């Protein structure tokens, strides 16, 4: 028997186990999160005898006689200060890292109430945050120190809420104090745990599988195989993904599932899986799109190895290039990138009536419903999906991961089942950013005015399509950059391989093609004898110009102002790099693009209901602000409901920077109806009433026969500057962005800061490795930036003039993706100016962060 003292109380355990497992699985103290179970992320941080310790590391046997403090044990009056400061500073996005941050903050502030920013950075350097860029977390901790030191009172909450204000997010407090529920925090009576058996090889024929020994294991409750799957093919857009594989099948990547096992003891699952015997004939995997395109390459899918093509032609690029004074042609290569959301994928499926209730971490519960219902051959209404809090997504939680397997097991056994990826499973099996190889030719006249460009893009989509089609489209439609020229010829192909699947990732293809475009522009500027800022300023798109994809730039296009805002900082720093970017808001391209919000008045409270999934970007605060802005009601009157297929209308996937525009406008429309109904009335007088808002953006498909097709309903624009110090380290990053009217200033700044740091990771510090079809990376060594090496981040918001504002969602445009698009090329230019080496591949080599 092991006795440990937690939050002042003694607890006993019959078995020795990791502290984190005891806290979560036995005591259901879930504020300490399980982000990796391998000591790399810090989400599980607790205090042991006043020292911060990662709870996933020590065994209970080492903790007898010690005093353990979790977030649940922090004195409520002290916690209120943290809640206020973290919410006020805008330090909370997905929130998954935040309880661990609070513990690290407490470990500092318990001994030092006058810390410097460097002290704070040092205190939280063991805590990874993928959302915020750390800056606002540091602000929050410094603010808390001030409150404790000066015995400050927490101010009253304001009674109104409007656009373009500093306001606390509606979901901040529960994420700070650890009471907010993520899927892995759900523990149900009689719940089983399940885990999948994955293919040993990226490409192999499965000759035989024997389950005999595994079934004899005393803790094995069930093993399910392909034969148990009612309908074996799913897929986010293209239906090409095998739910499971069985005897006679040829595997497509190491993420193919051969069996799912269930046990009431999660610690026994690996043991049971190890008893399943599989006989394979190993085949040589195809690990590059160029191999896959060879005439004699085996077909990974029956319909061929080319998953998708895109071609964007405007004007006459050949002629324009031929007649241009300066022409540059270069090849570029961009890598996979791991999303690195702090919360690994998790799903709890529960029998409900004659169907299922699925709790899951996802970017769209309606997609989960559609795909799981299809697999189980059930009508969608029998698959009820609910989103608890989601600990980050960045595009990586659009595809199914663990959901089909939890749903299948719960459906067969009629018992609750939880499946959670280990961190290594998450790394190996969920989608990544598409690697792309590009050859771009760009031309300009003697004055540095861009004249035309041609490009070829080859993308590795891995074993399945995922969102590879639209990612390729976006790479092509944005490939010419936010500049005013019209002779474009871009061709792209996305190709199947036996590598890890590539899919959606913040920036969605534009991150890749922007690197090639901006790098060519740097060379043209040099040839024309014009500096990089001036060259971009001469070509910047402005209202009324025609975007390279043929769309007329709207009056709210504010690219020039973004460049003007970073002019001084660029010229004042010797090793400054600059790049520009633009990004659509909304799926566009003629696709269905609808936001929906339902407001209902229930028991004196106004419920906001939308299926738009928040994975940290702040959907709740966004819709609340739109509604409060038009109604002038007190935000305390509102309840924001998490996405749920029974309670909340389908607002589409949280992707393509679309929710602020689509669901924001739907919220505004619902809010206007509420305002009308309330005229001269009290809330009690409209009890039971509902107000529905919907907004559907109308756009044209790629290749529409129109002079100026509307590809997307809106675009955001931005310029970034990256500054190196004399040692070549990134000292500061500055973003000037036109994202329309900020809904909430801290949230917009926080998104941009987090995006900049993610972009620096993509450009310089991170490397995800998939070698011969096998994931080689570990979470702790990918190269995610930590607080102590993160540079200073500065955000400048360049709103269009009032009369030019985007006409929907009270002028707000998307900002979730643009923020990391120009970062890598800005880093590359900074290093070019630092050492004269022109780098054509990411992550950049020969830097203090990554040697060649
Ligand atoms: S869960 Fe303990 S460090 Fe990640
Ligand atoms: S808020 Fe830190 S990981 Fe999401």
């Amino acid at each position: 028997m092991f006795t440990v003292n937690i939050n002042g109380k003694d607890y006993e355990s019959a078995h020795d186990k990791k502290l984190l497992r005891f806290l979560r699985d036995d005591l259901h103290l879930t504020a300490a999160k399980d982000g990796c179970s391998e000591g790399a992320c810090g989400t599980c941080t607790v205090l042991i005898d006043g020292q911060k310790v990662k709870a996933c590391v020590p065994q209970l046997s080492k903790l007898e006689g010690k005093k353990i403090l979790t977030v649940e044990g922090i004195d409520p009056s002290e916690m209120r200060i943290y809640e206020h400061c973290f919410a006020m500073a805008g330090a909370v996005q997905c929130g998954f890292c935040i309880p661990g941050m609070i513990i690290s903050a407490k470990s500092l502030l318990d001994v030092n109430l006058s810390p410097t920013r460097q002290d704070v950075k040092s205190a939280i350097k063991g805590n990874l945050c993928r959302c915020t860029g750390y800056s606002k977390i540091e602000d929050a901790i410094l603010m808390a120190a001030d409150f404790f030191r000066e015995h400050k009172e927490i101010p009253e909450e304001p009674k109104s809420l409007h656009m373009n204000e500093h306001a606390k997010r509606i979901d901040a407090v529960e994420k700070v104090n650890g009471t907010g529920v993520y899927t892995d925090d759900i523990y149900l009576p009689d719940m089983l745990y399940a885990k999948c058996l994955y293919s040993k090889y990226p490409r192999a024929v499965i000759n035989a599988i024997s389950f005999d020994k595994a079934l004899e294991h005393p803790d094995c409750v069930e093993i399910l195989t392909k034969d148990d799957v009612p309908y074996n093919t799913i897929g986010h857009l293209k239906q090409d993904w095998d739910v499971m594989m069985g005897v006679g099948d040829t595997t497509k990547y190491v993420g193919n599932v051969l069996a799912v096992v269930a046990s009431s003891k999660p610690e026994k699952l690996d043991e049971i899986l190890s008893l399943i015997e599989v006989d394979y004939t190993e085949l040589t995997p195809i690990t590059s799109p160029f191999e896959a395109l060879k005439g004699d390459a085996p077909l990974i899918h029956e319909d061929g190895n080319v998953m998708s093509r895109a071609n964007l032609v405007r004007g006459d690029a050949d002629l324009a290039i031929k007649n241009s004074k300066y022409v540059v042609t270069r090849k570029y290569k961009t890598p996979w990138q791991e999303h690195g959301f702090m919360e690994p994928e998790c799903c709890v499926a529960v029998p409900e009536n004659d169907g299922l209730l699925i709790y899951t971490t996802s970017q769209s519960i309606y997609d989960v419903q559609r795909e799981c219902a299809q697999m189980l051959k059930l009508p969608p209404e029998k698959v009820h999906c609910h989103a608890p809090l989601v600990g980050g997504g960045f595009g990586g939680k659009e595809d199914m991961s663990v959901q089909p397997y939890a749903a299948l097991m719960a459906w067969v056994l009629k018992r609750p089942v939880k499946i959670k990826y280990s961190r290594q499973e998450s790394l190996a099996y969920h989608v990544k950013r598409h690697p792309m190889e590009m050859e771009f030719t760009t031309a300009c006249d003697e004055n540095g005015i861009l004249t035309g460009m041609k490009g070829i893009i080859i993308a590795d989509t891995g074993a399945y399509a995922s969102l590879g089609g639209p990612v390729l489209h976006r790479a092509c439609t944005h490939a010419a950059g936010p500049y005013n020229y019209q002779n474009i010829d871009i061709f792209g192909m996305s190709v199947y391989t036996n590598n890890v699947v590539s899919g959606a990732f913040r920036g969605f293809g534009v991150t890749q093609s922007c690197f090639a475009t901006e790098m060519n522009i740097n060379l043209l500027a040099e040839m024309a004898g014009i500096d990089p800022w001036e060259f971009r300023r001469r070509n910047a798109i402005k209202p009324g110009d025609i975007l390279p994809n043929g769309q007329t730039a709207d009056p709210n296009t504010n690219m020039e102002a973004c460049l003007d805002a970073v002019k001084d900082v660029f010229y004042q720093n010797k090793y400054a790099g600059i790049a520009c970017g633009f990004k659509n808001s909304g799926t566009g391209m003629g696709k269905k693009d609808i936001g929906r919000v339902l407001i209902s008045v229930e028991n004196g409270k106004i419920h906001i209901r939308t299926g738009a999934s928040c994975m940290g970007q702040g959907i709740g605060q966004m819709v609340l602000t739109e509604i409060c802005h038009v109604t002038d009601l007190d935000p305390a009157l509102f309840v924001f409901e998490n996405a749920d297929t029974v309670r909340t209308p389908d607002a589409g996937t949280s992707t393509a920077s679309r929710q602020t525009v689509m669901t924001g406008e739907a919220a505004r429309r619902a809010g206007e109806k509420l305002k009308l109904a309330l005229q001269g009335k009290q809330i009690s007088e409209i009890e039971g009433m509902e107000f529905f808002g919907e907004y559907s953006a109308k756009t044209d498909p790629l290749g529409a026969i129109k002079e100026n097709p509307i590809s997307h309903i809106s675009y955001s624009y931005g310029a970034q500057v990256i500054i190196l110090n004399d040692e070549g380290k990134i000292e500061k990053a500055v973003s000037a962005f036109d994202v329309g009217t900020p809904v909430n200033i801290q949230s917009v700044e926080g998104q941009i800061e987090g995006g900049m740091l993610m972009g620096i990771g993509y450009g310089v510090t991170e490397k995800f490795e998939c070698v011969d079809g096998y994931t080689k990376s570990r979470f702790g060594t990918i190269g995610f930036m930590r607080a102590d090496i993160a540079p200073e981040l500065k955000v400048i918001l360049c709103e269009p003039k009032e009369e030019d504002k985007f006409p929907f969602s009270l002028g707000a445009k998307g900002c979730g993706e643009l923020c990391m698009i120009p970062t890598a090329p800005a880093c590359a230019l900074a290093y070019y100016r630092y050492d004269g080496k022109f780098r054509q591949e990411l992550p950049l080599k020969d830097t203090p962060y990554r040697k060649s």
Side-chain angles (χ1 to χ4, degrees):
M1 194 63 75
F2 303 90
T3 306
V4 282
N5 185 285
I6 298 165
N7 300 332
K9 197 170 157 199
D10 281 346
Y11 294 92
E12 291 188 333
S13 169
H15 304 286
D16 195 11
K17 56 176 74 173
K18 299 284 188 194
L19 171 61
L20 184 63
R21 296 275 49 96
F22 185 60
L23 289 172
R24 295 184 58 82
D25 301 341
D26 295 22
L27 306 185
H28 299 168
L29 289 173
T30 54
K33 305 297 179 202
D34 180 6
C36 72
S37 276
E38 50 191 52
C41 73
T43 58
C44 63
T45 308
V46 297
L47 289 183
I48 300 182
D49 287 347
Q51 301 297 312
K52 55 181 193 284
V53 173
K54 289 164 182 164
C56 63
V57 176
Q59 294 282 131
L60 294 182
S61 55
K62 299 276 188 279
L63 300 172
E64 294 202 61
K66 296 186 186 297
K67 296 215 173 305
I68 298 158
L69 185 87
T70 71
V71 158
E72 289 93 340
I74 295 178
D75 182 81
S77 59
E78 186 181 348
M79 179 50 76
R80 273 196 291 280
I81 303 286
Y82 285 118
E83 289 167 355
H84 170 73
C85 296
F86 271 67
M88 202 58 232
V92 183
Q93 292 190 31
C94 84
F96 203 76
C97 69
I98 297 297
M101 292 284 183
I102 298 291
I103 292 287
S104 291
K106 181 171 168 56
S107 77
L108 171 68
L109 301 189
D110 279 354
V111 295
N112 178 5
L113 282 183
S114 301
T116 62
R117 186 170 288 268
Q118 208 48 46
D119 294 333
V120 173
K121 282 177 176 289
S122 169
I124 61 169
K125 70 179 179 197
N127 300 80
L128 280 174
C129 174
R130 193 60 163 160
C131 301
T132 64
Y134 301 107
S135 179
K136 292 202 166 0
I137 292 177
E138 293 158 19
D139 293 345
I141 297 171
L142 290 169
M143 194 193 298
D146 199 37
F147 266 74
F148 290 128
R149 193 181 58 244
E150 307 296 332
H151 304 288
K152 284 188 175 172
E153 292 289 323
I154 296 171
E156 291 223 339
E157 300 300 334
K159 301 278 183 236
S160 66
L161 175 65
H162 293 93
M163 301 283 285
N164 211 352
E165 287 179 352
H166 287 89
K168 291 181 180 179
R169 266 174 62 158
I170 193 170
D171 56 347
V173 168
E174 62 175 340
K175 291 176 174 175
V176 175
N177 64 28
T179 58
V181 176
Y182 297 81
T183 306
D184 191 32
D185 299 337
I186 297 172
Y187 289 89
L188 298 171
D190 204 29
M191 187 169 83
L192 293 168
Y193 298 83
K195 192 163 179 165
C196 298
L197 178 74
Y198 294 92
S199 174
K200 190 172 170 190
Y201 304 105
R203 185 163 170 262
V205 179
I206 303 165
N207 300 318
I209 311 178
S210 169
F211 300 101
D212 297 350
K213 290 184 191 161
L215 286 166
E216 280 169 17
H217 191 290
D219 295 309
C220 176
V221 173
E222 182 62 278
I223 301 180
L224 298 178
T225 68
K226 180 181 172 184
D227 294 340
D228 300 299
V229 184
Y231 186 80
N232 198 42
T233 311
I234 55 171
H236 190 83
L237 298 171
K238 184 176 176 182
Q239 308 285 295
D240 67 350
W241 204 312
D242 306 274
V243 178
M244 284 210 231
M245 286 200 165
V247 173
D249 290 335
T250 301
T251 63
K252 295 184 171 70
Y253 89 121
V254 290
N256 284 130
V257 173
L258 276 54
V260 194
V261 302
S263 172
S264 58
K265 297 180 180 165
E267 68 278 11
K268 297 292 179 189
L269 287 166
D270 284 330
E271 206 173 287
I272 300 167
L273 285 171
S274 71
L275 298 173
I276 300 175
E277 295 168 327
V278 187
D279 179 48
Y280 299 93
T281 301
E282 192 182 352
L283 303 171
T284 307
I286 303 173
T287 55
S288 102
F290 300 100
E291 278 174 51
L293 290 171
K294 284 183 183 162
D296 58 352
L299 295 184
I300 296 170
H301 288 264
E302 279 176 9
D303 58 351
N305 288 348
V306 177
M307 191 279 293
S308 145
R309 293 173 185 79
N311 200 4
L312 176 73
V313 180
R314 304 276 309 169
D316 188 337
D318 282 320
L319 188 66
I321 290 167
K322 187 167 157 245
N323 293 335
S324 294
K325 170 97 178 176
Y326 301 111
V327 179
V328 61
T329 300
R330 285 286 189 283
K331 294 182 198 298
Y332 298 94
K333 195 170 172 183
T334 62
W336 284 288
Q337 189 183 18
E338 159 62 25
H339 299 76
F341 34 72
M342 286 295 116
E343 178 206 31
E345 297 84 341
C346 187
C347 179
V348 176
V350 188
E352 183 183 70
N353 304 322
D354 55 350
L356 281 178
L357 166 59
I358 296 176
Y359 298 99
T360 189
T361 172
S362 163
Q363 290 180 220
S364 169
I365 47 150
Y366 279 92
D367 291 334
V368 177
Q369 181 188 52
R370 176 175 52 79
E371 297 202 47
C372 288
Q374 176 177 319
M375 176 200 65
L376 293 172
K377 288 194 176 170
L378 288 174
E381 60 275 13
K382 286 203 189 297
V383 180
H384 171 193
C385 294
H386 181 86
L389 297 177
V390 179
F394 314 115
K397 290 180 180 168
E398 290 191 39
D399 294 280
M400 293 308 100
S401 55
V402 289
Q403 298 91 346
Y405 309 103
L408 181 68
M409 191 61 85
W411 178 245
V412 170
L413 294 181
K414 305 297 178 211
R415 284 178 68 175
V417 175
K418 179 189 277 190
I419 303 189
K420 180 179 175 247
Y421 268 163
S422 69
R423 180 51 79 173
Q424 201 55 34
E425 286 175 323
S426 177
L427 282 185
Y429 308 136
H430 84 231
V431 306
K432 305 286 175 266
R433 184 186 297 288
H434 282 78
M436 292 189 185
E437 296 200 32
M438 299 165 275
E439 183 182 284
F440 276 25
T441 298
T442 318
C444 69
D445 68 13
E446 61 281 7
N447 297 315
I449 302 301
L450 289 164
T451 50
M453 68 94 60
K454 287 177 73 170
I456 293 183
I457 301 173
I458 305 293
D460 178 355
T461 207
Y464 295 102
S466 177
L467 284 98
V471 166
L472 181 70
H473 272 172
R474 229 58 90 240
C476 292
T477 56
H478 289 62
Y483 303 112
N484 180 28
Y485 63 123
Q486 283 81 41
N487 296 302
I488 314 294
D489 187 342
I490 318 259
F491 175 71
M493 264 200 283
S494 195
V495 183
Y496 287 122
T497 65
N498 294 119
N499 288 327
V500 63
V501 182
S502 300
F505 196 145
R506 192 180 214 174
F508 212 78
V510 187
T511 323
Q512 292 92 317
S513 58
C514 176
F515 176 61
T517 295
E518 291 292 307
M519 294 302 282
N520 268 7
I521 280 176
N522 292 333
L523 291 177
L524 284 178
E526 205 171 76
M527 291 160 95
I530 301 167
D531 77 64
W533 182 89
E534 176 63 30
F535 189 96
R536 287 169 171 82
R537 186 63 173 78
R538 287 186 195 182
N539 288 285
I541 196 87
K542 55 186 184 305
D545 286 349
I546 308 299
L547 283 161
N549 62 17
Q551 184 166 350
T552 307
D554 286 335
N556 62 70
T557 302
N558 217 15
M559 183 67 240
E560 290 180 313
C562 296
L563 273 164
D564 292 347
V566 296
K567 181 178 181 181
D568 288 349
V569 75
F570 177 73
Y571 283 127
Q572 284 160 5
N573 287 280
K574 190 170 162 198
Y575 305 131
I578 188 169
C580 297
F582 75 132
K583 181 71 181 67
N584 56 292
S585 302
T587 22
M589 315 288 287
K591 299 274 186 302
K592 191 172 81 172
D593 208 358
I594 305 174
R596 296 187 183 97
V597 170
L598 181 64
I599 295 174
S600 57
V601 185
E602 301 176 38
N603 301 316
K605 285 280 186 185
I606 305 170
H607 289 242
I608 307 176
R609 295 154 59 181
T610 174
S613 179
C614 178
M615 62 267 196
Q617 74 278 44
I619 294 279
Q621 188 64 27
M622 183 273 291
V623 289
L624 176 72
T625 309
E626 295 266 351
I627 294 167
C628 285
H629 187 94
V630 294
T631 59
D632 223 11
L633 289 169
D634 182 346
L637 292 167
F638 290 83
V639 174
F640 175 72
E641 294 195 20
N642 282 1
D644 182 290
T645 53
V646 171
R647 288 281 299 171
T648 63
D650 188 359
T653 312
S654 292
T655 185
S657 304
R658 61 180 291 281
Q659 293 295 11
T660 294
V661 172
M662 306 304 153
T663 302
E665 173 62 11
R668 187 196 67 76
R669 291 178 180 195
E672 294 285 3
K673 291 180 186 171
L674 170 65
K675 181 182 175 186
L676 206 61
L678 265 175
Q679 274 177 349
K681 291 204 175 100
Q682 300 296 313
I683 294 200
S684 57
E685 295 173 75
I686 60 165
E687 176 71 29
M689 288 179 73
E690 293 187 342
F691 309 93
F692 182 63
E694 178 176 291
Y695 171 57
S696 173
K698 300 280 178 288
T699 54
D700 298 311
L702 187 68
I705 315 294
K706 280 186 172 181
E707 181 62 25
N708 299 113
I710 297 174
S711 295
H712 296 281
I713 195 69
S714 78
Y715 296 89
S716 298
Y717 299 87
Q720 272 181 0
V721 171
I722 295 286
I723 298 157
L724 306 185
N725 64 18
D726 290 341
E727 286 92 53
K729 294 207 169 136
I730 299 171
E731 185 174 76
K732 188 170 180 178
V734 183
S735 278
F737 277 11
D738 155 30
V739 294
T741 308
V743 177
N744 174 297
I745 294 173
Q746 296 104 312
S747 294
V748 170
E749 287 177 351
Q751 282 275 307
I752 296 172
E753 288 169 5
M756 279 195 274
L757 207 63
M758 196 180 261
I760 291 170
Y762 179 57
V764 184
T765 66
E766 294 172 24
K767 187 162 191 184
F768 175 85
E769 288 187 284
C770 180
V771 180
D772 298 332
Y774 300 92
T775 294
K776 297 292 182 194
S777 299
R778 302 287 303 182
F779 198 63
T781 52
I782 281 180
F784 300 127
M785 274 225 159
R786 292 183 179 271
D788 57 334
I789 58 163
E792 183 189 342
L793 304 170
K794 182 172 161 100
V795 175
I796 304 164
L797 299 177
C798 301
E799 280 181 70
K801 287 199 243 66
E802 193 59 42
E803 59 274 23
D804 294 335
K805 281 193 169 166
F806 178 56
F808 300 102
S809 60
L810 300 171
K813 302 191 282 187
C815 76
E817 296 180 278
L818 172 65
C819 45
M820 74 171 291
I821 287 170
T823 319
C827 291
L829 178 58
Y831 280 104
Y832 182 48
R833 296 181 82 196
Y834 179 76
D835 61 15
K837 292 182 195 161
F838 189 80
R839 296 157 171 90
Q840 292 168 223
E841 187 175 340
L842 298 176
L844 304 175
K845 292 184 188 132
D846 289 330
T847 70
Y849 306 94
R850 194 162 282 285
K851 301 294 169 201
S852 56

